[in-house]
Amino acid sequence: MNEQNQRDSIMSMARGAFEERVDYEMDKVIQNILDPNTKATAKRKITLTIELTPDDERRTIGVSVTAKSTLAATNPVATALYVTSDGNGELVVAEMVPQVPGQMNMDGTQQETPKLLKLVQHG
């Protein structure tokens, strides 16, 4: 078989740009798998869309490739809020903290006072 008739993968077209797009998405998927803030066993996916657009004479075909990755979402972060009054009759929300604000931890640090969020009254 001579060199002119050798066939190559569609992924090597556009001077390797198609393959480069797949590699780019694969890197994003690997980084997502290694991220401790995502579920380790969640499925990830890379989808390739190859569009072929022939001209009216069916002589030339425009080809485009889009690579898209579907990553695992980050793990949820939970907290708890406590609704109370600020002493002036205004409702406020404070994030719950593990211990009483100002109390000393075993490591010698103090529990910080949580910031208050003012609630907007509707009505």
Side-chain angles (χ1 to χ4, degrees):
M1 185 182 243
N2 65 31
E3 277 188 43
Q4 289 182 352
N5 293 332
Q6 286 184 344
R7 295 183 180 176
D8 207 348
S9 169
I10 191 170
M11 296 310 295
S12 67
M13 291 182 10
R15 296 181 304 279
F18 292 175
E19 185 176 11
E20 183 179 293
R21 297 293 165 91
V22 174
D23 289 346
Y24 176 77
E25 294 302 319
M26 180 60 110
D27 183 58
K28 288 173 32 179
V29 169
I30 297 299
Q31 292 304 315
N32 184 256
I33 289 169
L34 297 175
D35 184 348
N37 294 308
T38 63
K39 183 178 176 186
T41 58
K43 291 183 180 180
R44 282 77 166 175
K45 178 171 47 173
I46 297 175
T47 304
L48 296 180
T49 302
I50 302 173
E51 293 183 349
L52 302 117
T53 309
D55 68 359
D56 289 336
E57 291 81 35
R58 302 170 200 248
R59 296 258 181 224
T60 61
I61 303 169
V63 182
S64 70
V65 172
T66 305
K68 178 185 170 213
S69 56
T70 304
L71 306 175
T74 56
N75 297 328
V77 176
T79 190
L81 301 175
Y82 181 73
V83 180
T84 187
S85 172
D86 68 356
N88 297 322
E90 297 285 329
L91 287 179
V92 292
V93 175
E95 183 175 13
M96 303 282 288
V97 291
Q99 57 192 43
V100 177
Q103 184 177 9
M104 294 295 265
N105 294 325
M106 294 298 286
D107 63 4
T109 60
Q110 274 189 20
Q111 174 65 58
E112 293 181 19
T113 302
K115 294 186 172 86
L116 299 178
L117 304 171
K118 183 177 177 181
L119 294 179
V120 177
Q121 299 290 319
H122 295 281

